Amino acid sequence: HTPGIEPSAFTIGATNTFQTDGRSDDAVATYSSRGPTRGTWVDNTGLTHHDNLIKPDLVAPGNKLTFAEALNNSLVTSNPTIHVVTSNIDPTKRVMRMSGTSASTAIAAGTAALMFQINPKMTPNMVKAFMEYSAQKLTSAGVLEQGAGQLNIAGALKLATLVRTDLASPMQVGAPLLTGSAPNSSSFAGSTFNWSGTIVRKFNTMSGTNLITRLQGPYFTGE
């Protein structure tokens, strides 16, 4: 009933950018779910165990975002205030404003699609790891609120361009993964921030440049 708590799912929380270009005021949205997960299982003695996984894995902007609006959209019909009134625009190209983790997840999915477009040899686990590694840690939130941090699209795409395009079996774990030096920061709206350098696991996190400069075992399968 709650697929986001599945360990292999890439679970995305939502941040509020407060409609500013700078990222220094960004924070996890109040409605974004926090971890740990509370899924349960029962052992042979009847004792209930909570899984307590670290979630979300990542957060992305998801508050008052403007998206394309289909004509005769039932959401807008039921909630006309989400329609964005714009001037000097083709009336067939309408837009609406929405909030929620469903909006932030779409941004993360689009980023993943762009990374696969840049380098189709990347595996799902590699894409997930690179999006987390290049994320921005928000100072106002902990790992159970933001996971690895806030999505950094430019950083994730930069890493994708550096990944070797000859990735194929057999390759040895620890083999060089990038064709150039590993970046560790990004700049937006006149400010610079360091990447999280972190990858979220089930119950803990990992950090270190070898996560992106060397081929890791989990990157092979995408499971």
Side-chain angles (χ1 to χ4, degrees):
H1 300 293
T2 50
I5 70 172
E6 161 59 35
S8 64
F10 194 12
T11 307
I12 311 298
T15 58
N16 187 346
T17 66
F18 298 99
Q19 289 74 62
T20 64
D21 291 336
R23 296 171 67 106
S24 61
D25 62 345
D26 295 358
V28 177
T30 56
Y31 48 77
S32 184
S33 294
R34 273 74 168 163
T37 62
R38 300 302 287 166
T40 60
W41 60 279
V42 180
D43 63 22
N44 293 334
T45 67
L47 183 65
T48 298
H49 300 262
H50 292 279
D51 47 22
N52 291 317
L53 301 174
I54 294 178
K55 290 286 183 175
D57 298 293
L58 193 75
V59 291
N63 194 71
K64 296 182 179 180
L65 302 186
T66 302
F67 292 92
E69 174 191 322
L71 290 174
N72 302 317
N73 186 312
S74 60
L75 280 176
V76 175
T77 301
S78 302
N79 306 276
T81 57
I82 69 174
H83 171 68
V84 179
V85 179
T86 56
S87 59
N88 302 319
I89 190 171
D90 185 336
T92 63
K93 297 178 180 178
R94 301 160 62 92
V95 291
M96 61 183 182
R97 182 174 288 115
M98 298 188 68
S99 299
T101 53
S102 295
S104 56
T105 298
I107 292 179
T111 304
L114 290 173
M115 294 175 73
F116 282 123
Q117 185 177 22
I118 289 172
N119 189 342
K121 294 292 186 179
M122 297 180 69
T123 65
N125 270 349
M126 196 179 298
V127 169
K128 176 182 177 182
F130 280 23
M131 289 171 68
E132 293 180 358
Y133 190 94
S134 59
Q136 173 193 7
K137 284 187 176 179
L138 301 177
T139 58
S140 59
V143 67
L144 293 176
E145 298 173 289
Q146 65 176 321
Q150 180 172 232
L151 175 64
N152 170 17
I153 299 175
L157 298 184
K158 176 64 175 178
L159 278 179
T161 63
L162 293 173
V163 175
R164 292 169 53 179
T165 57
D166 61 344
L167 296 173
S169 296
M171 284 188 64
Q172 296 297 317
V173 172
L177 188 58
L178 305 182
T179 60
S181 58
N184 58 13
S185 64
S186 294
S187 297
F188 291 103
S191 63
T192 300
F193 62 88
N194 292 327
W195 291 1
S196 74
T198 298
I199 292 177
V200 176
R201 291 167 52 85
K202 290 182 179 180
F203 306 108
N204 57 16
T205 61
M206 297 187 299
S207 61
T209 56
N210 278 347
L211 292 172
I212 60 171
T213 58
R214 299 288 176 178
L215 183 66
Q216 305 296 324
Y219 295 167
F220 281 117
T221 63
E223 296 176 353

